[in-house]
Amino acid sequence: SETFHFRKDAETWARHTEAKFETGDLPPDVKTLQTIILADLVKRYRDDITAANEELAFERIVLDRFLDHPICLKRLSELRAEDLARYRDDRLKAVSPTTLKRQLNPIRHLFQVAQTD
């Protein structure tokens, strides 16, 4: 919502906002992001998306390991690129870069799915 002095300005803003909504260009609802921790998002993706497909057993294993990392305790509103970089660096201490790339695919996909839902 927004407040305007002139009706014409309000109508222009409304048309512009509706167009952004239709193209998916609106920013995320920050209040919603403040109520969800990353672990909740990971569990929902794991249980709803990967559980239905036996071919995605590897993804479930990766996501279960991801849930053990402290990054999953963060609220989505607090999540920053630096947090993901720290996770990457921590995993590189245990796995090769090729393995890490494979492990990051389900995490990337989980964020893509979350953006569209």
Side-chain angles (χ1 to χ4, degrees):
S1 73
E2 190 72 38
T3 304
F4 298 92
H5 293 289
F6 301 101
R7 180 182 179 126
K8 182 178 178 184
D9 293 338
E11 290 172 347
T12 301
W13 177 85
R15 280 193 306 276
H16 180 69
T17 303
E18 288 171 356
K20 287 172 71 175
F21 175 77
E22 289 174 6
T23 60
D25 290 337
L26 285 176
D29 179 8
V30 177
K31 289 181 182 177
T32 301
L33 297 179
Q34 291 172 343
T35 64
I36 302 171
I37 62 169
L38 181 55
D40 294 337
L41 188 65
V42 172
K43 289 174 187 175
R44 181 174 176 195
Y45 175 83
R46 181 195 63 197
D47 297 344
D48 293 349
I49 304 296
T50 66
N53 189 339
E54 281 303 315
E55 294 175 9
L56 299 177
F58 172 76
E59 286 192 10
R60 284 190 295 280
I61 293 167
V62 168
L63 294 170
D64 285 339
R65 176 171 289 273
F66 183 57
L67 284 167
D68 292 336
H69 196 273
I71 191 175
C72 288
L73 300 176
K74 287 191 163 269
R75 296 185 186 289
L76 294 181
S77 62
E78 299 168 347
L79 197 58
R80 302 287 177 261
E82 296 84 19
D83 300 315
L84 294 168
R86 190 174 308 112
Y87 171 75
R88 177 203 60 212
D89 295 343
D90 289 347
R91 289 300 298 144
L92 281 172
K93 294 174 186 173
V95 299
S96 72
T98 304
T99 299
L100 178 63
K101 185 176 177 181
R102 235 183 356 256
Q103 291 178 353
L104 290 176
N105 284 333
I107 296 167
R108 183 180 307 116
H109 188 246
L110 118 87
F111 283 109
Q112 290 169 342
V113 169
Q115 284 181 325
T116 60
D117 282 351

